[in-house]
Amino acid sequence: MPQKDQDTGKIQTPKPDFYHTMHDGPIMTVQRSPFFMDILLVVGGWNFTIWKEAVVIDKNNPSSAESLKTLNVAENDALKSGPILQSAPNPIRMTSGFWSPSRPGVFYISKVDGSVDVWDLLDKTHESSITQSVSPSAITKIYPHAVSHKQHLLAVGDSSGTLHILEIPWSLRLPAPNEVTGVANYFEREVKRRGFVVQRWDFREHEKRELEAEAKKKAGDVRQVRPTLIAPNVLLTDEEIEYRLKLEYQTYMEAEGNFLRELGITKEEEPLPQT
């Protein structure tokens, strides 16, 4: 809503609280999950994203202060981290998306090649579970509808003006036991994972600044020892550059080793027995 600026007195439209550039094409679908009101499916360009409302609140925005009271510490760390799930770029542009009305972990994605992807988050999260070719023309709209408990249909409209009616199989219409709880737990794990990723980004950025400051300090010490050879505000010498690269490489190898040990790929090396 347009608001009056306190300084100039002009009526202006306020800026958005946050924005993200996650799609490489126009947004075609923004839809809430029928099972989780804070979960949104966004389809646009060559990928789709799934968002959780609390995760994208800007904690530096005073208007969001009331919403922050409902979040715990782990969720606060995950703020401003973007979507909790982002698909890999698809070679075919996506045109629309729709949540399943009966299964909380299932949604449908249509594409310009006339096919429909069925995603089941309890089955796979890196690729679609089923891809069904429907029309030779680009699909413009899809809509699943529960006719009865035993029959669910999927209406598919294409750019040629043809309406296709498909029957949804029982495996995609009947929810698994405790599926709502399972999908809710999956979303919570993704929130914590995003929080961990943001923390690691901040840690790496802080570590990088410390290394650069240390390298500059060492370069400044060399200039003080040899003032006649090195003038202030000049490029680093080959020896200083080599020293800096060695520090960065050593830090990278230590981080890589810790990461592999956390994944269980490598193990701690046991010391050799004393002879």
Side-chain angles (χ1 to χ4, degrees):
M1 295 292 294
Q3 299 176 358
K4 185 177 181 180
D5 186 82
Q6 298 295 333
D7 299 329
T8 62
K10 295 181 179 180
I11 302 298
Q12 297 180 349
T13 302
K15 296 181 180 180
D17 293 337
F18 64 92
Y19 71 93
H20 291 272
T21 305
M22 294 294 177
H23 296 268
D24 46 9
I27 302 299
M28 308 301 293
T29 298
V30 178
Q31 187 190 37
R32 292 185 183 274
S33 168
F35 297 90
F36 309 97
M37 295 307 297
D38 57 347
I39 298 295
L40 293 97
L41 171 66
V42 180
V43 180
W46 281 260
N47 68 332
F48 71 84
T49 52
I50 293 181
W51 303 73
K52 184 177 175 63
E53 279 192 335
V55 177
V56 297
I57 294 176
D58 189 349
K59 59 184 177 181
N60 297 320
N61 182 12
S63 63
S64 303
E66 293 299 325
S67 300
L68 292 175
K69 296 179 181 179
T70 61
L71 303 177
N72 55 34
V73 177
E75 289 175 331
N76 281 335
D77 294 336
L79 295 178
K80 299 173 61 178
S81 62
I84 59 176
L85 177 62
Q86 180 178 2
S87 69
N90 195 293
I92 309 299
R93 184 167 58 87
M94 302 177 180
T95 58
S96 64
F98 214 102
W99 288 100
S100 168
S102 58
R103 289 196 55 189
V106 173
F107 54 92
Y108 305 91
I109 302 293
S110 63
K111 299 183 293 185
V112 296
D113 64 346
S115 64
V116 176
D117 289 341
V118 183
W119 287 75
D120 186 353
L121 297 179
L122 294 183
D123 180 29
K124 301 176 183 178
T125 58
H126 64 284
E127 64 179 1
S128 60
S129 299
I130 301 174
T131 298
Q132 178 65 47
S133 180
V134 179
S135 171
S137 303
I139 296 175
T140 57
K141 190 67 177 179
I142 55 176
Y143 183 80
H145 177 67
V147 179
S148 64
H149 179 69
K150 296 183 179 180
Q151 187 180 39
H152 290 192
L153 301 178
L154 179 66
V156 180
D158 60 26
S159 59
S160 300
T162 305
L163 174 64
H164 307 264
I165 303 296
L166 290 78
E167 185 170 3
I168 300 176
W170 67 269
S171 59
L172 295 176
R173 69 172 185 262
L174 295 180
N178 299 323
E179 182 169 340
V180 175
T181 303
V183 176
N185 292 336
Y186 167 75
F187 289 146
E188 293 301 323
R189 290 195 302 268
E190 288 301 304
V191 169
K192 295 179 180 179
R193 181 188 65 84
R194 293 295 301 181
F196 175 77
V197 171
V198 171
Q199 289 180 354
R200 296 302 297 176
W201 283 344
D202 294 341
F203 174 77
R204 291 303 180 195
E205 187 66 24
H206 179 71
E207 189 178 51
K208 181 180 179 181
R209 287 196 293 265
E210 288 184 346
L211 291 175
E212 291 178 350
E214 183 179 356
K216 290 180 180 179
K217 183 178 179 181
K218 290 184 178 296
D221 294 340
V222 173
R223 295 190 188 100
Q224 293 178 4
V225 174
R226 297 184 297 173
T228 58
L229 298 179
I230 301 179
N233 300 326
V234 297
L235 296 177
L236 300 180
T237 63
D238 294 340
E239 293 80 3
E240 294 165 353
I241 294 176
E242 182 180 0
Y243 177 77
R244 179 178 175 179
L245 293 176
K246 286 182 179 179
L247 286 178
E248 293 180 355
Y249 179 74
Q250 182 180 2
T251 304
Y252 169 78
M253 294 301 296
E254 291 177 355
E256 182 184 30
N258 294 333
F259 179 71
L260 294 177
R261 282 191 291 272
E262 291 177 1
L263 295 178
I265 298 177
T266 60
K267 298 181 179 180
E268 295 286 350
E269 296 183 357
E270 298 181 358
L272 297 176
Q274 298 291 335
T275 57

